[in-house]
Each structure stands twice: as C-alpha cells, then as structure tokens.
Amino acid sequence: DIHLTQSPSSLSASVGDRVTISCRASRSMSNYLNWYQQKPGRAPKLLIHAASSLQSGVPSRFSGSGSGTEFTLTISSLQPEDLGTYYCQQSFSTPIFTFGPGTKVDLK
Amino acid sequence: QVTLRESGPALVKPTQTLTLTCTFSGFSLNTGGMCVTWIRQPPGKALEWLARIDWDDDKYYNTSLKSRLTISKDTSRNQVALTMTNMDPVDTATYYCARINRYESSGYYAIIDYWGQGTLVTVSS
C-alpha cells in the first residue's frame, strides 16, 4: 500500500498569508493525488483532484501541484473560512484508497 | 442534486456486529463508473478508508479490516450497507458514506466528490 505523509501537521497563519501544505508518497504515483478540506464537525470536501485540477465551485485561491512523490496544496491568501484540516488522498492504487494524516490550519 | 445519508445505531457493545446503511439520491449505482465507499474517522484523528462497492458489484476492502467488513448494495432502494463484525472500543468513530466518481483524462482517476454528513458510532459496554 502507498503511505502518505503530510507536513506540517499543524500551522497557524494570519488572514491574507500564503499557506503551503506538503504531501509525500512512499512511492511514485504520477498525479493520482486529491486534496480535501474538513471543517470542524463537517464532512470533508474535495478541493483538488489529479494533483492540480480545481474542483468545480472551489475558490481560485486554492491550487495544487506536484507529481511522482511530492505534492503541494497552496492557499494564496488565507481567509477565515479556510480554517480546518486538510487531507491528501491517493487514488493511484485504486480501488484501495489511503489518506494522509492531515494538516490542521488555524488563525494566528 | 446528489445526497447521501448514513443511518444505524449510535451505540454498540463490544463484540457485536455493526450494520450501517447509506441511502443516496441523485445518481444510480447502475451507472458505469459510479461507486459508493465507506470511510471512518475516530474522534480527533485522521480519515480511514474502509470499503467500496462499484456499479458492477465489485467490492474492495481495507486490507487491515477485510476479515471484519462486508459491503453490499440494493440498487432498487438506492442503498449501500456496511457490516463490521466483532466491534471494539477502538472502532468508535464517525462513519461516512460517500460517492466515488471515476473519470478518464490521460488515465483513469477516482475522486470522492460527495459525502454524507456522517454518523457517530460509539462502542462501549
């Protein structure tokens, strides 16, 4: 199974800051990487698929990049509503899915 | 409009079998490429993928939990069920059902594009 790690595990940032979250895979998986946002008490929401494709309806301040084993989610200008936990998820070894451990984002 | 809703017991005793039902609308599991999956999240912890069932009735399980899980579908009722045997307090979690949508774009991709609200299951005597 592919193992995913994320860094940092948590971060504090101010409104308007540029935020970067990393996801690393235990082996190369092309661009079969999705990103989800989970707000407290809510179900996760798909943000980015295929490493860099913005899901319909997601604000353009979110972007994704990377391929192989290194991936990045960027929030270009953090907004208060962006607080929550972000998870990467691989679909390379579909039908088996795995999620990263998550990165918690809160306001400084 | 795609919706999914989980239902089942909020409390189960250790060693009991848990049965959860996902009732969905806005799509059909008879449609090629459609799948329904179950994912759980212990309080304060990360997401864990559990199982998946496809439109063609193929079924897949988390390798660590495979011996305890069974997923099934009733397309006439738009429902997917998950059973987990021999429940333990460590299985206390919010259980989500969700839709997997597969698409082709220089490869076959799978995304979890719609989620239920989740149902908290507590395992305690």
Side-chain angles (χ1 to χ4, degrees):
Chain A
D1 292 357
I2 293 178
H3 182 66
L4 299 176
T5 57
Q6 289 182 234
S7 61
S9 57
S10 65
L11 65 90
S12 295
S14 301
V15 173
D17 282 354
R18 183 181 183 88
V19 170
T20 300
I21 298 169
S22 296
C23 178
R24 176 174 291 179
S26 58
R27 60 184 178 97
S28 181
M29 53 183 204
S30 184
N31 66 338
Y32 289 82
L33 192 284
N34 305 320
W35 290 97
Y36 299 84
Q37 174 197 61
Q38 186 179 32
K39 296 182 180 181
R42 305 289 297 273
K45 170 189 171 183
L46 177 66
L47 297 177
I48 302 285
H49 58 97
S52 60
S53 295
L54 193 67
Q55 174 69 353
S56 175
V58 174
S60 59
R61 62 180 180 273
F62 291 95
S63 63
S65 63
S67 67
T69 62
E70 302 283 343
F71 302 88
T72 300
L73 173 70
T74 300
I75 308 173
S76 61
S77 177
L78 187 71
Q79 300 301 303
E81 61 266 31
D82 299 336
L83 304 185
T85 302
Y86 292 80
Y87 294 94
C88 56
Q89 173 251 318
Q90 67 83 18
S91 63
F92 180 79
S93 59
T94 188
I96 305 298
F97 284 179
T98 49
F99 290 90
T103 295
K104 185 176 182 181
V105 175
D106 60 26
L107 278 179
K108 189 180 293 183
Chain B
Q1 179 188 3
V2 173
T3 64
L4 303 100
R5 185 182 74 250
E6 305 87 354
S7 58
L11 179 67
V12 297
K13 290 180 168 41
T15 75
Q16 286 187 336
T17 294
L18 170 70
T19 298
L20 296 173
T21 299
C22 175
T23 303
F24 58 88
S25 63
F27 69 98
S28 171
L29 257 184
N30 286 322
T31 302
M34 288 296 162
C35 321
V36 170
T37 190
W38 285 92
I39 293 156
R40 72 178 179 179
Q41 185 173 38
K45 296 189 177 181
L47 301 163
E48 179 180 31
W49 178 78
L50 298 177
R52 162 180 154 175
I53 190 164
D54 293 359
W55 76 100
D56 56 3
D57 210 36
D58 280 346
K59 300 162 188 173
Y60 307 95
Y61 298 98
N62 179 310
T63 52
S64 301
L65 297 167
K66 185 174 183 177
S67 63
R68 299 174 54 206
L69 296 172
T70 303
I71 193 169
S72 61
K73 65 182 173 76
D74 182 338
T75 51
S76 65
R77 293 187 173 189
N78 280 352
Q79 291 182 333
V80 170
L82 180 76
T83 63
M84 180 179 289
T85 61
N86 195 24
M87 293 292 285
D88 182 272
V90 300
D91 297 313
T92 294
T94 296
Y95 287 75
Y96 295 99
C97 69
R99 186 181 84 164
I100 294 175
N101 197 354
R102 298 166 73 241
Y103 67 93
E104 183 180 4
S105 174
S106 303
Y108 285 95
Y109 295 84
I111 58 175
I112 305 171
D113 59 353
Y114 289 93
W115 299 66
Q117 63 185 14
T119 186
L120 175 62
V121 177
T122 300
V123 185
S124 175
S125 54

